[in-house]
mmCIF file of all heavy atoms in Angstrom:
data_model
loop_
_atom_site.group_PDB
_atom_site.id
_atom_site.type_symbol
_atom_site.label_atom_id
_atom_site.label_comp_id
_atom_site.label_asym_id
_atom_site.label_seq_id
_atom_site.Cartn_x
_atom_site.Cartn_y
_atom_site.Cartn_z
ATOM 1 N N VAL A 252 -4.963 -13.548 15.199
ATOM 2 C CA VAL A 252 -5.829 -14.230 14.225
ATOM 3 C C VAL A 252 -6.420 -13.213 13.312
ATOM 4 O O VAL A 252 -7.276 -12.387 13.669
ATOM 5 C CB VAL A 252 -7.065 -15.065 14.860
ATOM 6 C CG1 VAL A 252 -7.808 -15.761 13.760
ATOM 7 C CG2 VAL A 252 -6.533 -16.009 15.828
ATOM 8 N N VAL A 254 -8.646 -12.409 10.216
ATOM 9 C CA VAL A 254 -9.677 -13.023 9.551
ATOM 10 C C VAL A 254 -10.034 -12.185 8.323
ATOM 11 O O VAL A 254 -10.321 -10.966 8.255
ATOM 12 C CB VAL A 254 -11.008 -13.053 10.433
ATOM 13 C CG1 VAL A 254 -12.162 -13.761 9.702
ATOM 14 C CG2 VAL A 254 -10.770 -13.732 11.812
ATOM 15 N N THR A 293 -22.050 -13.674 6.357
ATOM 16 C CA THR A 293 -20.768 -13.642 6.963
ATOM 17 C C THR A 293 -20.627 -13.612 8.485
ATOM 18 O O THR A 293 -19.909 -14.278 9.049
ATOM 19 C CB THR A 293 -19.945 -12.417 6.437
ATOM 20 O OG1 THR A 293 -19.961 -12.488 4.998
ATOM 21 C CG2 THR A 293 -18.483 -12.389 6.993
ATOM 22 N N VAL A 294 -21.582 -12.831 9.150
ATOM 23 C CA VAL A 294 -21.575 -12.609 10.507
ATOM 24 C C VAL A 294 -21.588 -13.941 11.336
ATOM 25 O O VAL A 294 -20.756 -14.209 12.246
ATOM 26 C CB VAL A 294 -22.646 -11.692 11.022
ATOM 27 C CG1 VAL A 294 -22.874 -11.760 12.565
ATOM 28 C CG2 VAL A 294 -22.279 -10.208 10.655
ATOM 29 N N PRO A 295 -22.577 -14.935 10.990
ATOM 30 C CA PRO A 295 -22.586 -16.121 11.774
ATOM 31 C C PRO A 295 -21.181 -16.945 11.634
ATOM 32 O O PRO A 295 -20.819 -17.605 12.536
ATOM 33 C CB PRO A 295 -23.690 -16.852 11.193
ATOM 34 C CG PRO A 295 -24.572 -15.782 10.630
ATOM 35 C CD PRO A 295 -23.623 -14.732 10.083
ATOM 36 N N VAL A 296 -20.663 -16.889 10.463
ATOM 37 C CA VAL A 296 -19.442 -17.646 10.167
ATOM 38 C C VAL A 296 -18.314 -17.133 10.999
ATOM 39 O O VAL A 296 -17.467 -17.895 11.600
ATOM 40 C CB VAL A 296 -19.092 -17.727 8.693
ATOM 41 C CG1 VAL A 296 -17.856 -18.448 8.429
ATOM 42 C CG2 VAL A 296 -20.218 -18.384 7.895
ATOM 43 N N VAL A 297 -18.078 -15.766 10.971
ATOM 44 C CA VAL A 297 -17.002 -15.183 11.642
ATOM 45 C C VAL A 297 -17.245 -15.335 13.196
ATOM 46 O O VAL A 297 -16.219 -15.556 13.973
ATOM 47 C CB VAL A 297 -16.986 -13.683 11.364
ATOM 48 C CG1 VAL A 297 -15.865 -13.013 12.207
ATOM 49 C CG2 VAL A 297 -16.514 -13.517 9.836
ATOM 50 N N LEU A 298 -18.368 -15.338 13.711
ATOM 51 C CA LEU A 298 -18.596 -15.527 15.093
ATOM 52 C C LEU A 298 -18.373 -16.977 15.474
ATOM 53 O O LEU A 298 -17.817 -17.212 16.527
ATOM 54 C CB LEU A 298 -20.071 -15.223 15.465
ATOM 55 C CG LEU A 298 -20.444 -13.689 15.452
ATOM 56 C CD1 LEU A 298 -21.852 -13.460 15.793
ATOM 57 C CD2 LEU A 298 -19.503 -12.943 16.505
ATOM 58 N N GLU A 299 -18.526 -17.904 14.583
ATOM 59 C CA GLU A 299 -18.178 -19.335 14.904
ATOM 60 C C GLU A 299 -16.638 -19.377 14.948
ATOM 61 O O GLU A 299 -16.067 -20.091 15.783
ATOM 62 C CB GLU A 299 -18.772 -20.199 13.726
ATOM 63 C CG GLU A 299 -18.437 -21.694 13.942
ATOM 64 C CD GLU A 299 -18.935 -22.577 12.880
ATOM 65 O OE1 GLU A 299 -19.967 -22.195 12.228
ATOM 66 O OE2 GLU A 299 -18.489 -23.749 12.735
ATOM 67 N N VAL A 300 -15.963 -18.824 14.041
ATOM 68 C CA VAL A 300 -14.471 -18.854 14.051
ATOM 69 C C VAL A 300 -14.037 -18.117 15.380
ATOM 70 O O VAL A 300 -13.164 -18.623 15.972
ATOM 71 C CB VAL A 300 -13.942 -17.956 12.843
ATOM 72 C CG1 VAL A 300 -12.463 -17.776 12.957
ATOM 73 C CG2 VAL A 300 -14.150 -18.759 11.613
ATOM 74 N N ALA A 301 -14.653 -17.036 15.762
ATOM 75 C CA ALA A 301 -14.315 -16.347 16.993
ATOM 76 C C ALA A 301 -14.494 -17.286 18.226
ATOM 77 O O ALA A 301 -13.568 -17.198 19.185
ATOM 78 C CB ALA A 301 -15.011 -15.069 17.200
ATOM 79 N N GLU A 302 -15.541 -18.043 18.279
ATOM 80 C CA GLU A 302 -15.689 -18.931 19.305
ATOM 81 C C GLU A 302 -14.570 -20.037 19.486
ATOM 82 O O GLU A 302 -14.032 -20.395 20.507
ATOM 83 C CB GLU A 302 -17.024 -19.570 19.305
ATOM 84 C CG GLU A 302 -18.237 -18.695 19.646
ATOM 85 C CD GLU A 302 -18.108 -18.120 20.967
ATOM 86 O OE1 GLU A 302 -17.709 -18.800 21.960
ATOM 87 O OE2 GLU A 302 -18.441 -16.910 21.241
ATOM 88 N N VAL A 304 -11.513 -19.372 18.308
ATOM 89 C CA VAL A 304 -10.342 -18.627 18.849
ATOM 90 C C VAL A 304 -10.428 -18.624 20.409
ATOM 91 O O VAL A 304 -9.412 -18.836 21.052
ATOM 92 C CB VAL A 304 -10.477 -17.162 18.338
ATOM 93 C CG1 VAL A 304 -9.358 -16.378 18.957
ATOM 94 C CG2 VAL A 304 -10.174 -17.076 16.755
ATOM 95 N N ARG A 305 -11.680 -18.283 20.958
ATOM 96 C CA ARG A 305 -11.759 -18.258 22.284
ATOM 97 C C ARG A 305 -11.442 -19.584 22.963
ATOM 98 O O ARG A 305 -10.696 -19.583 24.084
ATOM 99 C CB ARG A 305 -13.193 -17.836 22.681
ATOM 100 C CG ARG A 305 -13.557 -17.690 24.216
ATOM 101 C CD ARG A 305 -14.982 -17.310 24.368
ATOM 102 N NE ARG A 305 -15.129 -15.825 24.257
ATOM 103 C CZ ARG A 305 -16.230 -15.224 23.901
ATOM 104 N NH1 ARG A 305 -17.309 -15.884 23.656
ATOM 105 N NH2 ARG A 305 -16.228 -13.938 23.832
ATOM 106 N N TRP A 313 -5.640 -11.716 20.009
ATOM 107 C CA TRP A 313 -6.324 -10.611 19.260
ATOM 108 C C TRP A 313 -6.947 -11.171 17.980
ATOM 109 O O TRP A 313 -6.234 -11.881 17.260
ATOM 110 C CB TRP A 313 -5.525 -9.415 18.959
ATOM 111 C CG TRP A 313 -5.369 -8.452 20.088
ATOM 112 C CD1 TRP A 313 -4.181 -8.357 20.815
ATOM 113 C CD2 TRP A 313 -6.161 -7.372 20.450
ATOM 114 N NE1 TRP A 313 -4.356 -7.426 21.832
ATOM 115 C CE2 TRP A 313 -5.570 -6.826 21.505
ATOM 116 C CE3 TRP A 313 -7.366 -6.986 20.011
ATOM 117 C CZ2 TRP A 313 -6.100 -5.654 22.168
ATOM 118 C CZ3 TRP A 313 -7.903 -5.880 20.697
ATOM 119 C CH2 TRP A 313 -7.405 -5.317 21.800
ATOM 120 N N ILE A 314 -8.167 -10.745 17.727
ATOM 121 C CA ILE A 314 -8.722 -11.021 16.348
ATOM 122 C C ILE A 314 -8.678 -9.680 15.583
ATOM 123 O O ILE A 314 -9.205 -8.614 16.026
ATOM 124 C CB ILE A 314 -10.290 -11.433 16.415
ATOM 125 C CG1 ILE A 314 -10.256 -12.811 17.209
ATOM 126 C CG2 ILE A 314 -10.879 -11.501 14.965
ATOM 127 C CD1 ILE A 314 -11.710 -13.306 17.338
ATOM 128 N N VAL A 315 -8.075 -9.693 14.478
ATOM 129 C CA VAL A 315 -7.985 -8.580 13.516
ATOM 130 C C VAL A 315 -8.821 -8.785 12.390
ATOM 131 O O VAL A 315 -8.548 -9.774 11.592
ATOM 132 C CB VAL A 315 -6.479 -8.286 13.095
ATOM 133 C CG1 VAL A 315 -6.439 -7.049 12.178
ATOM 134 C CG2 VAL A 315 -5.650 -8.009 14.309
ATOM 135 N N ASP A 316 -9.901 -8.023 12.193
ATOM 136 C CA ASP A 316 -10.901 -8.325 11.288
ATOM 137 C C ASP A 316 -10.662 -7.481 9.947
ATOM 138 O O ASP A 316 -10.806 -6.302 10.094
ATOM 139 C CB ASP A 316 -12.361 -8.113 11.719
ATOM 140 C CG ASP A 316 -13.289 -8.456 10.523
ATOM 141 O OD1 ASP A 316 -13.373 -9.576 10.110
ATOM 142 O OD2 ASP A 316 -14.007 -7.515 10.194
ATOM 143 N N PHE A 317 -10.395 -8.205 8.905
ATOM 144 C CA PHE A 317 -10.343 -7.536 7.522
ATOM 145 C C PHE A 317 -11.485 -8.035 6.666
ATOM 146 O O PHE A 317 -11.503 -7.656 5.472
ATOM 147 C CB PHE A 317 -8.901 -7.857 6.861
ATOM 148 C CG PHE A 317 -8.485 -6.863 5.852
ATOM 149 C CD1 PHE A 317 -8.134 -5.542 6.219
ATOM 150 C CD2 PHE A 317 -8.492 -7.274 4.540
ATOM 151 C CE1 PHE A 317 -7.754 -4.750 5.159
ATOM 152 C CE2 PHE A 317 -8.121 -6.440 3.506
ATOM 153 C CZ PHE A 317 -7.722 -5.078 3.864
ATOM 154 N N THR A 318 -12.474 -8.753 7.246
ATOM 155 C CA THR A 318 -13.529 -9.298 6.519
ATOM 156 C C THR A 318 -14.646 -8.149 6.294
ATOM 157 O O THR A 318 -15.132 -7.712 7.419
ATOM 158 C CB THR A 318 -14.072 -10.588 7.257
ATOM 159 O OG1 THR A 318 -13.084 -11.473 7.203
ATOM 160 C CG2 THR A 318 -15.379 -11.058 6.501
ATOM 161 N N PRO A 320 -18.418 -6.782 5.415
ATOM 162 C CA PRO A 320 -18.352 -5.452 5.782
ATOM 163 C C PRO A 320 -17.807 -5.254 7.197
ATOM 164 O O PRO A 320 -18.382 -5.711 8.257
ATOM 165 C CB PRO A 320 -19.775 -4.874 5.794
ATOM 166 C CG PRO A 320 -20.678 -6.103 5.887
ATOM 167 C CD PRO A 320 -19.995 -7.281 5.416
ATOM 168 N N VAL A 321 -16.625 -4.584 7.195
ATOM 169 C CA VAL A 321 -15.810 -4.589 8.491
ATOM 170 C C VAL A 321 -16.501 -4.003 9.625
ATOM 171 O O VAL A 321 -16.458 -4.537 10.777
ATOM 172 C CB VAL A 321 -14.529 -3.746 8.190
ATOM 173 C CG1 VAL A 321 -13.763 -3.561 9.535
ATOM 174 C CG2 VAL A 321 -13.533 -4.579 7.235
ATOM 175 N N GLY A 322 -17.247 -2.836 9.458
ATOM 176 C CA GLY A 322 -17.818 -2.305 10.667
ATOM 177 C C GLY A 322 -18.977 -3.193 11.290
ATOM 178 O O GLY A 322 -19.014 -3.346 12.521
ATOM 179 N N ILE A 323 -19.737 -3.868 10.491
ATOM 180 C CA ILE A 323 -20.750 -4.768 10.842
ATOM 181 C C ILE A 323 -20.153 -6.007 11.506
ATOM 182 O O ILE A 323 -20.530 -6.444 12.633
ATOM 183 C CB ILE A 323 -21.684 -5.056 9.752
ATOM 184 C CG1 ILE A 323 -22.536 -3.888 9.235
ATOM 185 C CG2 ILE A 323 -22.708 -6.150 10.251
ATOM 186 C CD1 ILE A 323 -23.352 -4.092 8.029
ATOM 187 N N VAL A 324 -19.109 -6.563 10.816
ATOM 188 C CA VAL A 324 -18.574 -7.790 11.389
ATOM 189 C C VAL A 324 -17.834 -7.374 12.719
ATOM 190 O O VAL A 324 -17.945 -8.146 13.655
ATOM 191 C CB VAL A 324 -17.518 -8.405 10.452
ATOM 192 C CG1 VAL A 324 -16.858 -9.558 10.995
ATOM 193 C CG2 VAL A 324 -18.317 -8.821 9.175
ATOM 194 N N THR A 325 -17.133 -6.355 12.773
ATOM 195 C CA THR A 325 -16.430 -6.031 14.069
ATOM 196 C C THR A 325 -17.471 -5.707 15.195
ATOM 197 O O THR A 325 -17.231 -6.115 16.290
ATOM 198 C CB THR A 325 -15.585 -4.716 13.820
ATOM 199 O OG1 THR A 325 -14.660 -5.015 12.735
ATOM 200 C CG2 THR A 325 -14.833 -4.305 15.054
ATOM 201 N N ARG A 326 -18.535 -5.083 14.791
ATOM 202 C CA ARG A 326 -19.659 -4.923 15.882
ATOM 203 C C ARG A 326 -20.116 -6.175 16.451
ATOM 204 O O ARG A 326 -20.277 -6.363 17.676
ATOM 205 C CB ARG A 326 -20.799 -4.142 15.236
ATOM 206 C CG ARG A 326 -21.898 -3.769 16.265
ATOM 207 C CD ARG A 326 -22.976 -3.036 15.668
ATOM 208 N NE ARG A 326 -23.909 -2.679 16.840
ATOM 209 C CZ ARG A 326 -24.357 -1.448 17.121
ATOM 210 N NH1 ARG A 326 -23.931 -0.309 16.316
ATOM 211 N NH2 ARG A 326 -25.095 -1.262 18.137
ATOM 212 N N ALA A 327 -20.374 -7.113 15.499
ATOM 213 C CA ALA A 327 -20.897 -8.416 16.036
ATOM 214 C C ALA A 327 -19.836 -9.147 16.899
ATOM 215 O O ALA A 327 -20.160 -9.791 17.900
ATOM 216 C CB ALA A 327 -21.079 -9.393 14.796
ATOM 217 N N LEU A 328 -18.587 -9.050 16.474
ATOM 218 C CA LEU A 328 -17.477 -9.550 17.394
ATOM 219 C C LEU A 328 -17.487 -8.990 18.756
ATOM 220 O O LEU A 328 -17.317 -9.625 19.736
ATOM 221 C CB LEU A 328 -16.129 -9.464 16.665
ATOM 222 C CG LEU A 328 -15.872 -10.390 15.531
ATOM 223 C CD1 LEU A 328 -14.629 -9.847 14.644
ATOM 224 C CD2 LEU A 328 -15.648 -11.814 15.831
ATOM 225 N N LEU A 329 -17.512 -7.653 18.833
ATOM 226 C CA LEU A 329 -17.411 -6.893 20.034
ATOM 227 C C LEU A 329 -18.735 -7.146 20.856
ATOM 228 O O LEU A 329 -18.507 -7.330 22.120
ATOM 229 C CB LEU A 329 -17.270 -5.420 19.839
ATOM 230 C CG LEU A 329 -15.931 -5.068 19.164
ATOM 231 C CD1 LEU A 329 -15.886 -3.536 18.853
ATOM 232 C CD2 LEU A 329 -14.706 -5.387 20.128
ATOM 233 N N ASP A 330 -19.829 -7.288 20.229
ATOM 234 C CA ASP A 330 -21.182 -7.615 20.925
ATOM 235 C C ASP A 330 -21.045 -8.853 21.558
ATOM 236 O O ASP A 330 -21.663 -9.077 22.706
ATOM 237 C CB ASP A 330 -22.310 -7.588 19.965
ATOM 238 C CG ASP A 330 -22.724 -6.015 19.575
ATOM 239 O OD1 ASP A 330 -22.200 -5.210 20.156
ATOM 240 O OD2 ASP A 330 -23.479 -5.983 18.677
ATOM 241 N N ALA A 331 -20.245 -9.845 21.003
ATOM 242 C CA ALA A 331 -20.151 -11.197 21.549
ATOM 243 C C ALA A 331 -18.980 -11.321 22.580
ATOM 244 O O ALA A 331 -18.687 -12.410 23.041
ATOM 245 C CB ALA A 331 -19.919 -12.076 20.479
ATOM 246 N N GLY A 332 -18.355 -10.141 22.858
ATOM 247 C CA GLY A 332 -17.280 -10.120 23.895
ATOM 248 C C GLY A 332 -15.942 -10.569 23.453
ATOM 249 O O GLY A 332 -15.156 -10.865 24.275
ATOM 250 N N HIS A 333 -15.702 -10.500 22.169
ATOM 251 C CA HIS A 333 -14.394 -11.004 21.604
ATOM 252 C C HIS A 333 -13.449 -9.851 21.678
ATOM 253 O O HIS A 333 -13.778 -8.607 21.547
ATOM 254 C CB HIS A 333 -14.536 -11.606 20.268
ATOM 255 C CG HIS A 333 -15.403 -12.762 20.204
ATOM 256 N ND1 HIS A 333 -14.918 -14.026 20.690
ATOM 257 C CD2 HIS A 333 -16.565 -13.069 19.704
ATOM 258 C CE1 HIS A 333 -15.806 -14.965 20.533
ATOM 259 N NE2 HIS A 333 -16.881 -14.387 20.039
ATOM 260 N N ARG A 334 -12.116 -10.103 21.776
ATOM 261 C CA ARG A 334 -11.093 -9.218 21.658
ATOM 262 C C ARG A 334 -10.728 -8.936 20.307
ATOM 263 O O ARG A 334 -9.916 -9.616 19.699
ATOM 264 C CB ARG A 334 -9.812 -9.727 22.523
ATOM 265 C CG ARG A 334 -8.866 -8.636 23.008
ATOM 266 C CD ARG A 334 -7.833 -9.232 23.930
ATOM 267 N NE ARG A 334 -7.135 -8.126 24.592
ATOM 268 C CZ ARG A 334 -5.951 -8.115 24.811
ATOM 269 N NH1 ARG A 334 -5.128 -9.174 24.372
ATOM 270 N NH2 ARG A 334 -5.277 -7.165 25.534
ATOM 271 N N ALA A 335 -11.358 -7.861 19.726
ATOM 272 C CA ALA A 335 -11.182 -7.727 18.304
ATOM 273 C C ALA A 335 -11.132 -6.299 17.895
ATOM 274 O O ALA A 335 -11.597 -5.332 18.601
ATOM 275 C CB ALA A 335 -12.484 -8.294 17.614
ATOM 276 N N VAL A 336 -10.541 -6.015 16.767
ATOM 277 C CA VAL A 336 -10.437 -4.689 16.166
ATOM 278 C C VAL A 336 -10.539 -4.829 14.764
ATOM 279 O O VAL A 336 -10.120 -5.845 14.098
ATOM 280 C CB VAL A 336 -9.072 -4.050 16.573
ATOM 281 C CG1 VAL A 336 -7.829 -4.814 16.070
ATOM 282 C CG2 VAL A 336 -8.994 -2.570 16.043
ATOM 283 N N GLY A 337 -11.251 -3.845 14.116
ATOM 284 C CA GLY A 337 -11.443 -4.006 12.642
ATOM 285 C C GLY A 337 -10.440 -2.979 11.932
ATOM 286 O O GLY A 337 -10.012 -2.104 12.490
ATOM 287 N N ARG A 495 -15.314 0.496 19.227
ATOM 288 C CA ARG A 495 -16.458 1.096 19.798
ATOM 289 C C ARG A 495 -16.370 2.633 19.860
ATOM 290 O O ARG A 495 -15.290 3.182 20.092
ATOM 291 C CB ARG A 495 -16.533 0.665 21.246
ATOM 292 C CG ARG A 495 -16.868 -0.885 21.407
ATOM 293 C CD ARG A 495 -18.382 -1.200 21.128
ATOM 294 N NE ARG A 495 -18.821 -2.379 21.631
ATOM 295 C CZ ARG A 495 -19.840 -3.114 21.214
ATOM 296 N NH1 ARG A 495 -20.555 -2.639 20.171
ATOM 297 N NH2 ARG A 495 -20.150 -4.391 21.697
ATOM 298 N N VAL A 508 -19.916 1.042 16.397
ATOM 299 C CA VAL A 508 -18.551 0.868 15.945
ATOM 300 C C VAL A 508 -18.171 1.949 14.947
ATOM 301 O O VAL A 508 -18.829 2.025 13.862
ATOM 302 C CB VAL A 508 -18.325 -0.566 15.345
ATOM 303 C CG1 VAL A 508 -17.027 -0.654 14.614
ATOM 304 C CG2 VAL A 508 -18.440 -1.507 16.497
ATOM 305 N N VAL A 547 -26.806 -6.559 12.260
ATOM 306 C CA VAL A 547 -26.201 -7.659 13.112
ATOM 307 C C VAL A 547 -27.310 -8.386 13.671
ATOM 308 O O VAL A 547 -27.266 -9.690 13.779
ATOM 309 C CB VAL A 547 -25.317 -6.962 14.326
ATOM 310 C CG1 VAL A 547 -25.026 -7.933 15.260
ATOM 311 C CG2 VAL A 547 -24.136 -6.237 13.585
ATOM 312 N N LEU A 551 -28.113 -12.499 13.090
ATOM 313 C CA LEU A 551 -28.154 -13.513 14.190
ATOM 314 C C LEU A 551 -29.535 -14.175 14.307
ATOM 315 O O LEU A 551 -29.599 -15.349 14.618
ATOM 316 C CB LEU A 551 -27.692 -12.824 15.470
ATOM 317 C CG LEU A 551 -26.330 -12.344 15.555
ATOM 318 C CD1 LEU A 551 -26.017 -11.509 16.810
ATOM 319 C CD2 LEU A 551 -25.352 -13.386 15.356
#
Side-chain angles (χ1 to χ4, degrees):
V252 180
V254 183
T293 303
V294 164
V296 175
V297 172
L298 289 180
E299 181 180 342
V300 170
E302 287 301 321
V304 172
R305 180 176 278 156
W313 280 99
I314 297 173
V315 178
D316 178 59
F317 200 71
T318 297
V321 168
I323 295 173
V324 173
T325 302
R326 179 177 189 131
L328 286 165
L329 294 175
D330 286 352
H333 297 289
R334 201 173 195 224
V336 60
R495 291 286 197 201
V508 168
V547 172
L551 296 178

